[in-house]
Amino acid sequence: MQNALAQVIGPVADHDPTGLLSLIPLGDTFRYYSVTGSVREETADNYRLSVSGLVDHPATYSISDLKALPQTSLIQDFQCVTGWHVPGVHWAGVQLSVLLEKAAPAKQARAVRFTSFDGTYTESLTLAEARRPDVMVALEMLGAPVTHDHGGPVRMYAGSMYGYKSTKWLSGIELAETETPGYWETRGYDIDGIIRE
Ligand SMILES: Nc1nc2c(c(=O)[nH]1)N[C@H]1C(S)=C(S)[C@@H](COP(=O)(O)O)O[C@H]1N2
Ligand SMILES: [Mo]
């Protein structure tokens, strides 16, 4: 029954930016969310991540640059603010704090802003949140390279925070003096996404 239901609503749920369809029980599985129609595919060859803004050392990273940095992995839940959640997801990649350390944030930097190569989605974290050990630039999710639908080749995983803080199709990390309300935050979500329940 559940599989049949998943088959019927799967294609709809894939394009459900409000997440309301998540109220239909499908088990502990991820939904694919995108606030834009189709997102161009970036491969391991052409992907680039820029680190810029209020830093002494701006940089651009390819996938192999990211893989050459110390890697971290953890097993942690993923929770969308609309109610669905996936327990015990295996994540791997580079701690954001490692990239921040290399970038050397300027004294006045207090926030980190994220952009997506979908051209629309944005997010931000305070610098203190960004330095938490479970906040990472993820190269792997569910024990395998992050798939395109899940925001690959590189997405954020902001552990201990609601899913909307984890920018998919990550293209830029920019240090700034203040957070900028992101895509969902200009539509009502709290800029503080820490899960406190
Ligand atoms: N670029 C982008 N990132 C995004 C989103 C999005 O629509 N576009 N949705 C956010 C929300 S609300 C959630 S719950 C998760 C969903 O991740 P998933 O599609 O891999 O399940 O991605 C977050 N990051
Ligand atoms: Mo979400």
Side-chain angles (χ1 to χ4, degrees):
M1 165 59 198
Q2 208 168 68
N3 281 348
L5 183 60
Q7 267 174 21
V8 173
I9 80 154
V12 184
D14 288 354
H15 300 97
D16 173 34
T18 63
L20 287 178
L21 285 170
S22 65
L23 298 175
I24 299 169
L26 287 174
D28 292 334
T29 57
F30 275 90
R31 281 57 163 170
Y32 296 116
Y33 278 1
S34 178
V35 298
T36 58
S38 68
V39 178
R40 75 166 184 266
E41 299 232 4
E42 295 258 335
T43 66
D45 290 337
N46 61 21
Y47 178 80
R48 294 292 182 275
L49 171 64
S50 75
V51 180
S52 64
L54 298 174
V55 296
D56 288 347
H57 304 298
T60 302
Y61 295 91
S62 65
I63 297 277
S64 49
D65 294 335
L66 291 171
K67 284 187 173 160
L69 295 171
Q71 304 291 299
T72 188
S73 69
L74 54 87
I75 294 177
Q76 201 163 308
D77 298 358
F78 189 85
Q79 180 156 349
C80 174
V81 74
T82 62
W84 58 272
H85 114 284
V86 187
V89 182
H90 185 277
W91 302 91
V94 180
Q95 278 180 336
L96 182 55
S97 63
V98 168
L99 292 182
L100 295 174
E101 191 71 24
K102 292 180 80 68
K107 262 205 182 68
Q108 65 276 31
R110 290 281 176 279
V112 183
R113 299 174 182 172
F114 303 91
T115 52
S116 169
F117 62 79
D118 71 7
T120 303
Y121 203 81
T122 53
E123 251 306 330
S124 52
L125 297 174
T126 66
L127 189 50
E129 288 168 349
R131 286 181 164 139
R132 290 162 72 132
D134 60 357
V135 174
M136 71 162 83
V137 170
L139 301 166
E140 289 186 17
M141 167 182 173
L142 299 165
V146 183
T147 61
H148 175 73
D149 284 341
H150 280 306
V154 178
R155 74 175 294 168
M156 285 303 304
Y157 173 59
S160 317
M161 299 180 214
Y162 288 111
Y164 65 88
K165 285 289 178 184
S166 294
T167 302
K168 296 167 66 170
W169 305 295
L170 183 67
S171 59
I173 295 173
E174 190 188 337
L175 278 283
E177 287 186 36
T178 56
E179 287 185 280
T180 302
Y183 181 90
W184 282 119
E185 289 147 7
T186 58
R187 292 163 176 79
Y189 286 12
D190 198 336
I191 196 160
D192 175 350
I194 294 174
I195 300 168
R196 294 192 171 78
E197 61 199 14

